[in-house]
Amino acid sequence: SFRCENLRGAIMIFDKVKKFDIVFDSPEIDSPPVFSSGDVVSGKVVLELSAENKVESLKLHAEGFAKVHWTESRSAGSSTTYTQNYSDEVEYLNQREVLLQADNGELTTLPAGRHEYPFSFQLPEETLVTSFEGKHGSIRYWVKVKLHRPWCTVRKIKKEFTVIEPIDINTPSLLAPQAGTKEKIARAWYRNFGQVSITAKIDRKGYTPGEVIPVFAEFDNSTSRSVVPKACITQTQTFIARGTMKQKQSVVATLSGDVVGARRRETWHGRAIKIPPVGPSILQCRIIKVEYMLRVCVDVPGTSKLCLELPLVMGTIPLHPFGSRTSSVSSHYSLNMEWLRMAIPEQPEPPPEYSSIVTEEEAIQNSPAARQEEDLSGVLERSFMAYVQEFRFRPPPVYSEVDPNPQPFNMRPRCMTC
């Protein structure tokens, strides 16, 4: 015991490294840095020595992997069981960089004090996968630095950083409405209770965490029992290895409706279900997938529930303000057009006399002859809005009972109802 403690003390005395750390260039020091594909990851390696020390090399290794692993035990008889492991990985980043090493192979002598070695590398331009931690797998990115010194063990440090691959929900496929209908006959043993049907719709497929999904649904209960409509958002994690798939499903948000009595119908006019702070969808990784679903269900006592599933995609770029008002603008426009049709009289009144609006002096000033003599030398000196205002307040043309552009008799009149 005494010798072991002395040996530890000797190691502590001869280890001249006081601090060995990786510091990323991040605008927020307290929060970890976040990057996406094509970004430049930069920072510095901080090495602080208590005394002069000789160093062979200082090397940096940036890595990124998606890995899955799980174990399954199977029985091969009454007393025989065997265990089978399933694992796989996908490499997304593998880059090496030498921060300190003498060209001639000799040792580098560093004086006591603080030393900083900056580093910088660019993430691949091709699509990366968002960082993820799951039950049977993970997607991680990190920077690892090794310090090699003579007659010493290799000193290693490792620091992870987060990658979030952006998913823009302002795309036609993610802005498309999602709808569906499902029905079933409620049976228990030999008895038939009747039919239950669900019709549901949501405005779009893509959402971001924190948004509220308005659910439009209709529940038709033609059975002899009362049913309870519900809705929930589920997350499904899928892990794939060696041709075998492992899934983990969890409910992240729920919504309960009122009881629908026998032979009754219930309608949801945009019932709100809020998305909690969850991770984005992962759809482009070969071995790990994270998918979301909106499930609208009906619980029927005595039999299995009826569920309608509408797919969701959790994005990172929120809906553009104009896109969020597209449907409302179109609906208001249609209402205004209906109001306009009702407001137009069947026989429009003739316009007022020209002389009752425009005086004789204004008519002479606005005549073609007067406009030809107008001085245009200072046309560029006036503001554009002045011309707009002048155009807006021009007097109307001369009214005449005779059509100045008569229609030929041999021309077939156009049908207004076509």
Side-chain angles (χ1 to χ4, degrees):
S1 172
F2 177 78
R3 290 182 180 178
C4 291
E5 290 179 0
N6 285 345
L7 183 59
R8 284 182 187 173
I11 293 175
M12 292 294 292
I13 292 173
F14 286 104
D15 192 357
K16 302 176 183 179
V17 178
K18 292 178 58 179
K19 185 177 182 180
F20 190 34
D21 193 13
I22 299 173
V23 180
F24 290 104
D25 292 337
S26 177
E28 298 181 5
I29 301 176
D30 297 335
S31 60
V34 179
F35 303 96
S36 59
S37 58
D39 287 349
V40 175
V41 181
S42 61
K44 58 187 175 183
V45 178
V46 179
L47 178 61
E48 189 172 347
L49 304 176
S50 60
E52 183 179 277
N53 201 345
K54 294 183 180 297
V55 177
E56 293 179 358
S57 64
L58 186 66
K59 297 179 180 180
L60 179 142
H61 188 193
E63 298 173 282
F65 289 93
K67 297 182 179 181
V68 298
H69 177 80
W70 72 88
T71 302
E72 291 183 0
S73 298
R74 299 186 180 183
S75 176
S78 58
S79 60
T80 304
T81 59
Y82 67 93
T83 303
Q84 190 169 2
N85 295 321
Y86 295 89
S87 61
D88 200 352
E89 70 176 38
V90 177
E91 180 182 280
Y92 290 106
L93 176 64
N94 190 351
Q95 186 166 345
R96 299 178 185 272
E97 185 176 344
V98 178
L99 303 181
L100 175 63
Q101 187 173 16
D103 297 335
N104 53 8
E106 296 181 358
L107 300 179
T108 303
T109 302
L110 297 179
R114 180 185 176 95
H115 303 272
E116 295 182 356
Y117 300 94
F119 65 87
S120 176
F121 61 90
Q122 186 176 13
L123 296 176
E125 290 287 349
E126 58 267 17
T127 302
L128 295 176
V129 181
T130 300
S131 299
F132 170 76
E133 292 291 333
K135 182 177 181 180
H136 304 293
S138 62
I139 302 172
R140 298 173 182 170
Y141 300 85
W142 64 83
V143 171
K144 186 182 347 182
V145 178
K146 294 182 179 181
L147 175 63
H148 297 265
R149 295 172 294 164
W151 307 104
C152 295
T153 58
V154 178
R155 191 79 175 263
K156 302 177 184 179
I157 53 172
K158 180 179 177 181
K159 182 166 285 189
E160 294 188 9
F161 60 91
T162 303
V163 170
I164 295 181
E165 191 59 28
I167 300 177
D168 189 358
I169 67 172
N170 298 282
T171 58
S173 60
L174 298 185
L175 292 178
Q178 304 296 304
T181 301
K182 203 168 185 179
E183 58 186 23
K184 68 172 291 186
I185 301 296
R187 293 187 178 92
W189 295 96
Y190 59 88
R191 186 177 179 182
N192 186 351
F193 296 112
Q195 180 175 284
V196 182
S197 64
I198 302 174
T199 301
K201 176 186 176 183
I202 55 178
D203 292 339
R204 46 191 161 92
K205 184 178 181 180
Y207 288 87
T208 53
E211 282 193 279
V212 172
I213 303 177
V215 182
F216 300 87
E218 184 177 275
F219 306 92
D220 190 0
N221 180 22
S222 300
T223 68
S224 57
R225 295 188 173 187
S226 298
V227 299
V228 181
K230 297 180 179 179
C232 65
I233 300 175
T234 61
Q235 181 198 67
T236 303
Q237 301 176 9
T238 305
F239 307 91
I240 303 170
R242 296 172 55 186
T244 305
M245 184 174 62
K246 196 84 169 177
Q247 285 189 333
K248 178 183 180 297
Q249 190 175 88
S250 58
V251 177
V252 298
T254 58
L255 172 65
S256 297
D258 300 327
V259 176
V260 182
R263 311 289 193 277
R264 301 294 297 271
R265 179 178 297 176
E266 175 73 14
T267 303
W268 285 1
H269 299 283
R271 282 285 186 95
I273 179 169
K274 188 173 182 179
I275 305 173
V278 294
S281 299
I282 299 178
L283 306 174
Q284 299 181 0
C285 182
R286 180 174 59 84
I287 60 176
I288 295 178
K289 295 185 183 298
V290 178
E291 300 169 298
Y292 293 89
M293 196 79 65
L294 174 67
R295 303 183 67 191
V296 183
C297 307
V298 171
D299 282 339
V300 184
T303 184
S304 60
K305 65 174 61 176
L306 173 64
C307 286
L308 173 65
E309 295 184 342
L310 301 178
L312 297 174
V313 173
M314 293 298 164
T316 59
I317 301 176
L319 185 67
H320 192 275
F322 179 78
S324 62
R325 293 196 297 265
T326 303
S327 58
S328 60
V329 168
S330 60
S331 61
H332 285 310
Y333 179 76
S334 60
L335 291 176
N336 291 337
M337 290 302 294
E338 292 295 331
W339 173 83
L340 184 61
R341 293 191 189 98
M342 291 187 294
I344 297 177
E346 296 182 358
Q347 296 182 354
E349 299 179 359
E353 293 291 338
Y354 184 73
S355 59
S356 63
I357 299 177
V358 181
T359 62
E360 185 177 355
E361 296 178 356
E362 292 178 346
I364 296 174
Q365 292 177 359
N366 295 324
S367 62
R371 286 198 296 268
Q372 289 178 1
E373 297 177 359
E374 185 179 358
D375 184 14
L376 300 179
S377 59
V379 69
L380 297 178
E381 300 178 1
R382 302 172 60 187
S383 64
F384 178 73
M385 290 303 299
Y387 291 100
V388 173
Q389 297 296 330
E390 183 178 349
F391 174 77
R392 290 177 57 189
F393 295 106
R394 286 282 185 182
V398 179
Y399 173 73
S400 175
E401 296 288 345
V402 180
D403 189 358
N405 300 309
Q407 185 177 4
F409 293 101
N410 57 356
M411 182 181 294
R412 182 179 179 182
R414 184 179 179 182
C415 180
M416 298 302 293
T417 60
C418 296

